[in-house]
Amino acid sequence: MSKIIPFKAVRPASDKIGLVTCRNYDDYSPAELAAWLNFNPYSFLHVINPAYAHSQKISWDKRFKGVALKYKDFKSEGIFIQEEKAVFYVYEIQTKSQTFTGIIAGTSVEDYQKDVIKKHEDTLQYRVELFKDYLHQTQFNTEPVLITYPDSVEINTWLLLKKQSEPIYAFTTTTKEKHTLWKIDTQSDIDWLQEYFENIPNLYIADGHHRSASAEMLYEQDKKLGNPNLEYFMSFLIAESNVKIYEFNRIIRDLNGHSKANFLTLLEEYFIVKPKEQELWKPENKFEFGMYLDGNFYALFYKHPLQEKAENSILNTLDAQILYNTVLHPILGIEDLRNDERIEYIPGKQSITTIKQVIDEGDFEVGFMLYPSDISEIKTLADHNLIMPPKSTYIEPKFRSGLIVYEI
């Protein structure tokens, strides 16, 4: 049984929506960030990065207080408005290649604690605590947790019907994405949607494990205050088949003291190694890996997929885990995938020419391309309380910051 609620959201004034919302802060280069902050006074970047010229010189506490003050300024200036009643939203994102449609709602911290909302990624304690402190100081969140639900003819039909009505927003971004938002405020729709989700036994976090963990930590810290908004966190609910899962590819700074010839020989214990020379080769199936080394591409075909399946080790059938177990750890000496400075990650959404370029520049020596996981692997791991290796998946859609605000 999954509990969802409507909430009294804060959102941009309709005439400023295209100016206010922004991508995730970390997606901007320093030059882009400076340009947006200098030339767009309505950008939500001003809220999440106040006093940006001196942001590296102030403490987290002062920075969070600055965020809270700037957010209040945006509200007082009429850049943001608040809904008069609690509502749901239907949100659609059209990219060049895909359309994503989902429901913005509040999801239950209690469901998260009871594993009704299931997880598949580990979290870093310092990041959870830092974002908890951010929520405590700012008293708002605009980054929903991406949560999947089982595909449903009833929900799809309902969504199609709602999308025939007049949206409250329809705007296009500089990245050529079209964003459309519909408000769901009739009691009959709200009741129907809540009742439908009450019959779904489990929901699955696709993206946002740190945000959900921070919401739980804040609830446990401040629940004595009796604030009902702490009992929920904002989520973007989307059908399992509607998420797009990319891999994270790996680039490594050195061969851990091995010569190229010795390294290729060591790989042959686990893989059939086929040189592809200048062909931009990437995996087409599970248990296949691409590699770029010394100006050439290679195809690596794992020799023991049937053995992994026969042993029924769910985690060890993941390509990211196989690469770690056979190459990254025993040969290249990388133990901590999160913190080792010798490894970095490139989202599979980027062309493999990016990997070639980075390695050719000389700071990295070898790169590995993986085949993306699918939603069934993620769900199976979550159902067995297993955790994916760090940076196993890069998942879309990505939500616009400043589009919808959940106040705490």
Side-chain angles (χ1 to χ4, degrees):
M1 175 175 163
S2 303
K3 185 176 182 180
I4 65 170
I5 62 161
F7 59 96
K8 291 180 67 174
V10 174
R11 56 184 176 85
S14 297
D15 64 327
K16 298 178 179 66
I17 179 64
L19 296 169
V20 173
T21 67
C22 61
R23 306 194 308 272
N24 183 282
Y25 172 80
D26 292 331
D27 288 347
Y28 292 89
S29 68
E32 281 184 298
L33 182 61
W36 280 107
L37 290 168
N38 283 329
F39 298 108
N40 180 6
Y42 297 110
S43 174
F44 193 68
L45 290 168
H46 287 285
V47 175
I48 56 180
N49 193 39
Y52 72 96
H54 308 289
S55 61
Q56 302 304 316
K57 301 178 182 179
I58 60 176
S59 66
W60 287 114
D61 184 65
K62 288 184 178 179
R63 189 177 303 184
F64 296 161
K65 288 178 179 177
V67 170
L69 289 172
K70 194 64 178 178
Y71 174 65
K72 289 179 180 178
D73 288 345
F74 267 46
K75 289 183 70 177
S76 66
E77 293 169 8
I79 299 171
F80 278 122
I81 59 174
Q82 185 156 29
E83 296 286 4
E84 294 181 357
K85 59 179 288 188
V87 300
F88 291 121
Y89 298 97
V90 170
Y91 178 38
E92 180 180 87
I93 306 169
Q94 292 183 25
T95 70
K96 294 177 182 178
S97 59
Q98 191 164 349
T99 297
F100 304 98
T101 305
I103 300 157
I104 302 172
T107 47
S108 167
V109 170
E110 183 180 11
D111 283 353
Y112 176 87
Q113 293 174 324
K114 291 183 176 180
D115 214 28
V116 173
I117 299 175
K118 291 182 173 286
K119 313 94 178 166
H120 71 269
E121 284 187 5
D122 205 356
T123 55
L124 295 174
Q125 186 68 14
Y126 83 90
R127 283 187 59 190
V128 173
E129 291 182 359
L130 185 64
F131 195 64
K132 181 265 295 180
D133 292 340
Y134 170 89
L135 296 174
H136 179 76
Q137 290 275 20
T138 65
Q139 296 293 289
F140 75 86
N141 180 33
T142 186
E143 298 182 13
V145 177
L146 183 65
I147 291 181
T148 66
Y149 59 83
D151 282 75
S152 161
V153 173
E154 292 89 344
I155 292 288
N156 288 344
T157 302
W158 182 84
L159 288 171
L160 286 172
L161 179 63
K162 296 302 114 181
K163 286 162 61 175
Q164 292 174 15
S165 62
E166 186 73 19
I168 57 173
Y169 300 139
F171 64 99
T172 302
T173 69
T174 54
T175 55
K176 298 183 179 180
E177 292 181 350
K178 183 180 179 181
H179 297 258
T180 312
L181 191 77
W182 294 265
K183 181 162 63 173
I184 308 301
D185 58 358
T186 64
Q187 196 60 47
S188 58
D189 278 324
I190 290 172
D191 291 343
W192 182 85
L193 203 56
Q194 288 184 299
E195 183 177 347
Y196 190 90
F197 272 85
E198 283 178 359
N199 293 313
I200 297 177
N202 291 110
L203 301 174
Y204 292 81
I205 297 176
D207 191 25
H209 287 78
H210 286 89
R211 295 191 290 276
S212 50
S214 297
E216 180 199 18
M217 183 178 287
L218 181 65
Y219 168 74
E220 290 297 335
Q221 173 184 291
D222 293 347
K223 61 183 177 182
K224 60 182 178 296
L225 301 176
N227 179 0
N229 290 348
L230 290 172
E231 299 173 14
Y232 299 88
F233 54 89
M234 183 169 64
S235 293
F236 184 36
L237 303 159
I238 191 167
E240 292 171 0
S241 65
N242 200 205
V243 296
K244 176 65 175 176
I245 304 174
Y246 296 91
E247 73 281 9
F248 262 109
N249 297 314
R250 281 92 163 104
I251 51 176
I252 318 298
R253 293 189 182 276
D254 58 67
L255 296 182
N256 196 31
H258 298 290
S259 67
K260 173 184 172 182
N262 185 42
F263 179 63
L264 290 172
T265 298
L266 292 171
L267 289 179
E268 290 176 349
E269 178 181 352
Y270 298 102
F271 301 94
I272 298 170
V273 180
K274 293 188 176 181
K276 293 292 183 178
E277 298 181 347
Q278 297 304 302
E279 179 186 348
L280 298 174
W281 191 87
K282 63 186 299 185
E284 298 178 349
N285 299 287
K286 265 186 71 63
F287 303 117
E288 297 177 1
F289 302 83
M291 183 175 72
Y292 183 69
L293 173 67
D294 194 27
N296 290 292
F297 287 90
Y298 296 82
L300 309 180
F301 300 94
Y302 187 51
K303 291 180 178 180
H304 310 295
L306 295 179
Q307 174 184 322
E308 298 290 4
K309 290 180 179 179
E311 291 177 355
N312 198 30
S313 174
I314 300 164
L315 185 60
N316 286 335
T317 60
L318 286 177
D319 285 354
Q321 188 68 34
I322 289 170
L323 186 67
Y324 176 76
N325 289 342
T326 59
V327 182
L328 300 182
H329 186 203
I331 299 176
L332 296 179
I334 294 173
E335 296 186 15
D336 188 343
L337 290 171
R338 288 189 183 277
N339 300 309
D340 195 314
E341 294 182 352
R342 295 171 56 229
I343 184 170
E344 291 191 11
Y345 302 88
I346 297 178
K349 186 177 181 180
Q350 296 186 31
S351 169
I352 60 174
T353 57
T354 303
I355 295 175
K356 180 181 186 302
Q357 179 181 348
V358 170
I359 292 174
D360 287 346
E361 288 173 353
D363 288 336
F364 294 84
E365 195 158 353
V366 62
F368 296 96
M369 289 72 78
L370 284 72
Y371 187 73
S373 295
D374 59 34
I375 194 66
S376 63
E377 286 185 313
I378 290 174
K379 289 181 64 177
T380 300
L381 284 166
D383 288 339
H384 288 82
N385 296 314
L386 294 172
I387 300 300
M388 277 186 148
K391 297 292 186 181
S392 291
T393 56
Y394 178 89
I395 298 180
E396 290 186 335
K398 299 298 184 185
F399 204 86
R400 297 285 290 183
S401 289
L403 176 68
I404 297 293
V405 180
Y406 180 87
E407 292 192 335
I408 299 169

